[in-house]
Amino acid sequence: MISELAPKQKLINVLSSTRRCSYLLAAFLAPLLTVCSCVMIPIFTGLLYAGIGIGPAITFLMTAPAANIMAILFTASIISWKIAFARFIGTISITIVTGYIVAKTSWGRSVEGKYRVIINKRRDIEEIKLPLYEKLWNSLIMAGYLAKKMLPFILLGIGVVSYIQAYIPPQIIVKYLTGVQGIIMGAIIGVSMYTPTLVEVILVDALKHMGMSAPAALAFLIGGPMTSIPSMLGVSRIVGWRIDSIYAILAVIGAITIGLIYYILLRDLW
């Protein structure tokens, strides 16, 4: 529906990869959506088809699952307001930097150019004003196309993650989720798993009572919702493996960095 109904020229002007304020705007609009990393994929695709630059689109894709309003409030009420505040500021910082870096790569520019060609072709067609029911019908056709293209890969990713979660003993995970190694493990485990939005807070709260440190928890809460194996498989169908790998790696590095900063400043203060 974003692809069909959004005013494309306005989005192109406001959320362009060449405007630095576009990244801030994307980062602060995304938290209004309470979604997980997989649900963000069709929204992300709709934004690209609507004309948003690849950089702000990546920022939007990563921010909504990790720093949406409900997730931050949930984190503050169940875990602590310190972790919630650090999660919000850390996520916004990471996603803006990641979006900007992706937009500067040749792969990012190539993907943006591909979607710009599609948008220009559609703009020529859309000079004839379509009635609302035709636009809604077109949005359903687009939804079916996206589902057929991405759903098999998302389901494959969920299956892989389910086996990982089933066969790794929780005692081993908890044992290593303290100190600097805990921060690194927290970020890596978070990204490799798939947890629906808000569920990651419950999971971290349980691990907290089993001995997980606050910095490791923060790294998990930032890295985990930003991306996951299922969402990476889905996003790769839209922007390719190179961009997919860049933003996933930067998500892990960013989560580790924020965890380390918290560790240096506040240690295990919840």
Side-chain angles (χ1 to χ4, degrees), residues 91-158:
T91 298
I92 295 293
S93 304
I94 293 164
T95 58
I96 288 174
V97 170
T98 300
Y100 189 77
I101 290 173
V102 168
K104 294 300 179 183
T105 64
S106 58
W107 307 315
R109 291 194 295 269
S110 174
V111 169
E112 191 169 294
K114 182 185 79 172
Y115 281 99
R116 191 57 51 83
V117 169
I118 295 171
I119 292 160
N120 289 336
K121 287 179 180 177
R122 291 179 62 190
R123 188 185 298 152
D124 294 338
I125 296 169
E126 288 172 359
E127 285 181 359
I128 303 170
K129 295 291 183 182
L130 295 175
L132 179 61
Y133 75 88
E134 281 196 37
K135 289 186 176 182
L136 293 174
W137 178 249
N138 288 340
S139 72
L140 286 175
I141 293 172
M142 174 63 79
Y145 165 76
L146 292 176
K148 192 161 72 172
K149 189 169 185 178
M150 296 181 301
L151 198 57
F153 286 84
I154 294 172
L155 293 175
L156 173 64
I158 291 171

Side-chain angles (χ1 to χ4, degrees), residues 58-237:
I58 289 287
T59 297
F60 207 102
L61 170 72
M62 297 172 70
T63 304
N68 65 74
I69 291 171
M70 286 301 297
I72 298 302
L73 292 175
F74 212 50
T75 303
S77 62
I78 291 181
I79 299 175
S80 82
W81 66 266
K82 297 181 188 70
I83 295 292
F85 181 76
R87 180 183 184 182
F88 182 77
I89 297 300
T91 298
I92 295 293
S93 304
I94 293 164
T95 58
I96 288 174
V97 170
T98 300
Y100 189 77
I101 290 173
V102 168
K104 294 300 179 183
T105 64
S106 58
W107 307 315
R109 291 194 295 269
S110 174
V111 169
E112 191 169 294
K114 182 185 79 172
Y115 281 99
R116 191 57 51 83
V117 169
I118 295 171
I119 292 160
N120 289 336
K121 287 179 180 177
R122 291 179 62 190
R123 188 185 298 152
D124 294 338
I125 296 169
E126 288 172 359
E127 285 181 359
I128 303 170
K129 295 291 183 182
L130 295 175
L132 179 61
Y133 75 88
E134 281 196 37
K135 289 186 176 182
L136 293 174
W137 178 249
N138 288 340
S139 72
L140 286 175
I141 293 172
M142 174 63 79
Y145 165 76
L146 292 176
K148 192 161 72 172
K149 189 169 185 178
M150 296 181 301
L151 198 57
F153 286 84
I154 294 172
L155 293 175
L156 173 64
I158 291 171
V160 170
V161 171
S162 298
Y163 275 98
I164 291 172
Q165 289 178 283
Y167 288 102
I168 294 180
Q171 297 86 352
I172 293 177
I173 294 176
V174 174
K175 180 181 177 182
Y176 294 103
L177 290 180
T178 55
V180 174
Q181 70 170 7
I183 296 167
I184 297 170
M185 288 290 291
I188 293 172
I189 292 169
V191 169
S192 65
M193 291 176 65
Y194 169 67
T195 51
T197 189
L198 306 184
V199 174
E200 80 279 359
V201 180
I202 304 296
L203 177 59
V204 166
D205 185 55
L207 292 173
K208 166 189 171 184
H209 292 295
M210 297 170 70
M212 185 182 200
S213 69
L218 179 60
F220 184 97
L221 287 169
I222 291 175
M226 272 187 192
T227 186
S228 62
I229 289 174
S231 70
M232 286 169 61
L233 288 168
V235 170
S236 70
R237 302 289 290 167

